[in-house]
């Protein structure tokens, strides 16, 4: 099972919205690198939901429930359907991730504007050790 991270501005679409809606079409991605991540997603993969504004943090977990497909509203983009799994009891902040210095080479730390990315196995192990996952 592969893990991805998807950033969202909570003022636009938050973990609360996803929990309420149950499923959503994840769209609005334009970066070629982020689009490659969406195109690599498969049903059953997990997606860490990250709030990019306010206190930047990983706030919950979703699951990919569709194959990726071209965005019908944007010929340069792709979309995928995500389903809410759960919110984290305690968000894992970007500050905590950065201060650990364990993941300085991860795109979340290196490329602050990248909206969607794969998550290294070492990050997943660390989140499990912290009992966040």
């Amino acid at each position: 099972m592969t893990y991805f991270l998807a950033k969202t501005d909570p003022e636009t679409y938050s973990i609360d919205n996803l929990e309420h809606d149950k499923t959503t079409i994840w769209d609005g991605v334009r970066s070629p690198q982020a689009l490659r991540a969406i195109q690599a997603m498969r049903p059953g993969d997990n997606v860490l939901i990250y709030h990019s504004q306010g206190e930047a943090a990983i706030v919950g977990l979703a699951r990919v429930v569709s194959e990726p497909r071209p965005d019908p509203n944007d010929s340069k983009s792709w979309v995928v359907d995500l389903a809410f799994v759960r919110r984290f009891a305690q968000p894992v902040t970007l500050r905590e991730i950065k201060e650990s210095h364990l993941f300085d080479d991860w795109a979340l730390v290196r490329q602050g504007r990248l909206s969607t990315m794969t998550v290294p196995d070492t990050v997943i192990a660390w989140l499990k050790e912290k009992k966040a996952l």
Side-chain angles (χ1 to χ4, degrees):
M1 178 181 322
T2 304
Y3 280 82
F4 295 88
L5 180 138
K7 291 182 181 180
T8 183
D9 174 354
E11 296 293 319
T12 303
Y13 194 85
S14 71
I15 191 77
D16 296 331
N17 298 115
L18 181 56
E19 183 175 22
H20 175 267
D21 296 346
K22 309 283 189 259
T23 62
T24 192
I25 297 172
W26 205 259
D27 60 4
V29 175
R30 297 297 301 269
S31 156
Q33 189 174 354
L35 286 171
R36 283 192 293 278
I38 286 180
Q39 291 167 340
M41 292 178 180
R42 294 295 171 257
D45 287 343
N46 286 315
V47 180
L48 301 174
I49 302 299
Y50 177 93
H51 283 176
S52 59
Q53 300 295 316
E55 182 177 46
I58 302 169
V59 296
L61 185 68
R63 185 152 298 124
V64 177
V65 293
S66 75
E67 292 290 336
R69 60 195 181 278
D71 185 337
N73 301 313
D74 183 348
S75 64
K76 296 182 182 193
S77 189
W78 282 66
V79 299
V80 69
D81 296 338
L82 300 183
F84 176 81
V85 173
R86 68 179 177 87
R87 59 178 60 244
F88 285 1
Q90 183 69 37
V92 179
T93 66
L94 178 59
R95 180 182 186 145
E96 185 178 356
I97 292 165
K98 284 182 172 184
E99 286 178 353
S100 77
H101 291 289
L102 297 170
F103 314 110
D104 290 344
D105 61 342
W106 184 23
L108 181 65
V109 174
R110 285 187 305 104
Q111 296 173 276
R113 296 187 53 85
L114 188 62
S115 66
T116 309
M117 64 196 71
T118 58
V119 180
D121 292 340
T122 53
V123 173
I124 298 306
W126 181 73
L127 290 171
K128 287 179 179 178
E129 186 178 297
K130 293 177 60 53
K131 308 241 185 293
L133 268 178

